């Protein structure tokens, strides 16, 4: 059920103000410190952001996808690390549980996920299983009433803050059908978290290794049936890709606003940069890319809310929006010129930040494969 329109618009207005007044002034600091300040995390909890997508009966806001992408668009107007603080709770960390969890599992975890007391994380990728996620090697060997988990997960977002992981591990033979999904508490004996990686961008959002060393997981922590884990992961990623596409569009909109402001103010050859047609071409191409991305995101969200499959649409939205925000960021650096390359203006930081969107939650090449696979399967 959508929120009533006034309540939803009030939420959007609150988010917009929070992004503009609280987060944007902290962008440079978070970029330097690689840490989002604790008081910001608290304010996010108070705003209910960790529970945007959690059903109301479990204490969340239960937003529709059309509503969720509107919030994601607003969060695009600042460093993506801020959205990451609650992003896994809203998306890939919680949605396996929402889609496939038992009532008991939902009652146990969802209210604390919605409040932000529990941070969740999605553990699919491994050192040897990136794009080929059906080849995961982490093992979950059944031993009476427990599964013994062993293996290593890599590049796991929010792992160092998480108290609950959705883990895809092998319970059967080779391939997708041998994979099951599990809810793994971070304090389970045998679970250890590596140090946050140093990365090109998105400082403040941490990724770490997660290692399982014969960790004894109660069998009731399995999500769905044995062998369903890969499909659960793919359904979670369909939705996650759409959310990321919305963030990409939001950042592109921010970059265009920055580009236009700079081009209007900065003068060369006796007039503002914005008077030069070659600069106008960069603004026009950025605007067109971004409007197309926004339309694709909103239409795909409406498709999902209508109960129709979005595998192809979400892949297309993520592919287009992540590639186009890369182009927009590149043009923004170009319009800013030397100022785009030095740290003080923040444009080079966003340029580095957006590079990740073409890689995580499925590379552009994986999105192309998914789009083609689905189009060929359904006759175009
Ligand atoms: N929703 C539901 N089921 C899906 C699905 C989806 N979106 N995608 C695939 N499946 C099902 C298939 O229908 C198939 O089911 P059956 O065995 O019943 O036929 C099964 O899952 C296996 O699918 P498929 O054969 O297409 O699997 P592949 O090994 O070829 O992998 C890709 C497909 C490459 C698309 C997949 O591994 C992928 O998305 N990789 C990228 C992973 C990723 O995004 N990683 C980022 C980590 S999280 S930040």
């Amino acid at each position: 059920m959508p929120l009533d329109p006034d309540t939803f618009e009030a939420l959007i207005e609150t988010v917009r103000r929070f992004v503009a007044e609280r987060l944007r002034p902290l962008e440079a600091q978070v970029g330097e410190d690689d840490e989002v300040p604790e008081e910001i995390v608290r304010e996010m909890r108070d705003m209910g952001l960790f529970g945007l997508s959690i059903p109301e009966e479990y204490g969340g806001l239960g937003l529709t996808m059309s509503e969720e992408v509107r919030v994601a668009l607003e969060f695009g107007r600042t460093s993506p690390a801020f959205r990451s603080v609650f992003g896994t709770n809203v998306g890939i960390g919680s949605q396996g549980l929402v889609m496939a969890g038992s009532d008991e599992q939902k009652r146990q975890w969802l209210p604390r996920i919605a409040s932000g007391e529990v941070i969740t994380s999605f553990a699919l990728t491994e050192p040897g299983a990136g794009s080929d996620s059906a080849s995961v090697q982490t093992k979950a060997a059944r031993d009476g009433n427990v599964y013994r988990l062993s293996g290593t997960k890599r590049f796991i977002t929010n792992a160092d803050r998480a108290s609950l992981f959705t883990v895809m591990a092998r319970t059967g033979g080779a391939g997708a059908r041998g994979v099951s999904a599990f809810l793994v508490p971070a304090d389970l004996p045998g679970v250890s978290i590596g140090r946050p990686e140093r990365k090109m961008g998105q400082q403040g959002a941490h990724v770490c290794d997660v290692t399982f060393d014969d960790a004894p997981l109660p069998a009731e922590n399995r999500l769905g049936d044995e062998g369903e884990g890969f499909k659960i992961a793919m359904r979670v990623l369909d939705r996650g890709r759409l959310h990321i596409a919305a963030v990409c569009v939001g950042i592109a909109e921010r970059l265009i606003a920055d580009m236009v402001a700079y081009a209007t103010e900065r003068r060369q050859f006796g007039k503002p940069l914005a008077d030069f047609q070659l600069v106008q071409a960069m603004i026009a191409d950025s605007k067109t890319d971004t409007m197309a991305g926004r339309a694709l995101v909103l239409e795909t969200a409406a498709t999902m809310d209508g109960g129709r499959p979005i595998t192809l649409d979400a892949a297309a939205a993520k592919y287009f929006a992540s590639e186009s925000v890369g182009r927009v960021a590149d043009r923004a650096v170009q319009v800013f010129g030397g100022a785009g390359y030095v740290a003080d203006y923040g444009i080079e930081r966003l340029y580095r930040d957006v590079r990740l969107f073409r890689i995580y939650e499925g590379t552009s090449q994986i999105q192309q494969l998914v789009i083609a696979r689905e189009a060929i399967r359904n006759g175009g």
Side-chain angles (χ1 to χ4, degrees), residues 163-231:
S163 2
L164 184 69
F165 294 93
T166 303
V167 176
M168 269 49 69
R170 191 160 300 284
T171 48
R177 291 184 181 188
V179 178
S180 302
F182 298 93
L183 294 172
V184 182
D187 59 4
L188 186 75
V191 176
S192 51
I193 314 298
R195 286 157 49 118
E197 303 284 353
R198 296 176 59 231
K199 1 189 228 15
M200 175 194 276
Q202 300 214 7
Q203 276 70 29
H206 295 175
V207 298
C208 316
D209 278 4
V210 180
T211 304
F212 307 104
D213 182 10
D214 203 26
L217 183 70
E220 66 257 24
N221 281 36
R222 197 184 62 230
L223 269 182
D225 289 333
E226 273 201 7
E228 275 186 5
F230 184 81
K231 285 188 190 175

Side-chain angles (χ1 to χ4, degrees), residues 125 131 133 177 230-231 234 237-238 241 311 361-362 373:
T125 300
S131 290
S133 44
R177 291 184 181 188
F230 184 81
K231 285 188 190 175
M234 289 300 117
L237 283 171
D238 281 348
R241 288 166 182 169
T311 301
E361 298 204 22
R373 180 191 72 194

Side-chain angles (χ1 to χ4, degrees), residues 2 34 40 76 102 122 145 153 161 179 206 217 239-241 247 250 289 304 312 316 324 336 338:
D34 196 17
I40 293 293
S102 66
F122 180 76
N145 285 335
K153 296 291 180 181
R161 299 189 177 107
V179 178
H206 295 175
L217 183 70
R239 194 184 176 290
R241 288 166 182 169
V247 176
D289 268 343
M304 181 173 154
L312 186 156
S324 61
F336 274 72

Side-chain angles (χ1 to χ4, degrees), residues 92 122-125 129-135 154-157 175-177 230-238 241 310-312 318 359-363 366-367 369-370 373-374 377:
I92 56 177
F122 180 76
L124 175 64
T125 300
S131 290
D132 183 9
S133 44
S135 72
R154 178 143 296 171
F155 306 142
I156 305 306
T157 303
R177 291 184 181 188
F230 184 81
K231 285 188 190 175
I232 293 171
M234 289 300 117
R235 286 170 57 210
V236 166
L237 283 171
D238 281 348
R241 288 166 182 169
I310 56 156
T311 301
L312 186 156
K318 204 262 187 185
I359 297 171
Y360 77 172
E361 298 204 22
T363 61
I366 289 296
Q367 311 309 332
L369 291 183
V370 171
R373 180 191 72 194
E374 296 296 310
R377 186 178 291 164

Side-chain angles (χ1 to χ4, degrees), residues 12 23 25 27 33 47-48 81 109-110 139 153 155-156 180-181 206 241 245 258 289 297 301 305 341 352:
I12 290 292
L23 304 186
E27 288 174 355
D33 298 351
M47 288 168 71
W109 292 106
L110 286 179
K139 253 200 155 43
K153 296 291 180 181
F155 306 142
I156 305 306
S180 302
H206 295 175
R241 288 166 182 169
D258 288 359
D289 268 343
V297 163
D305 289 336
Y341 198 71
R352 287 183 284 110

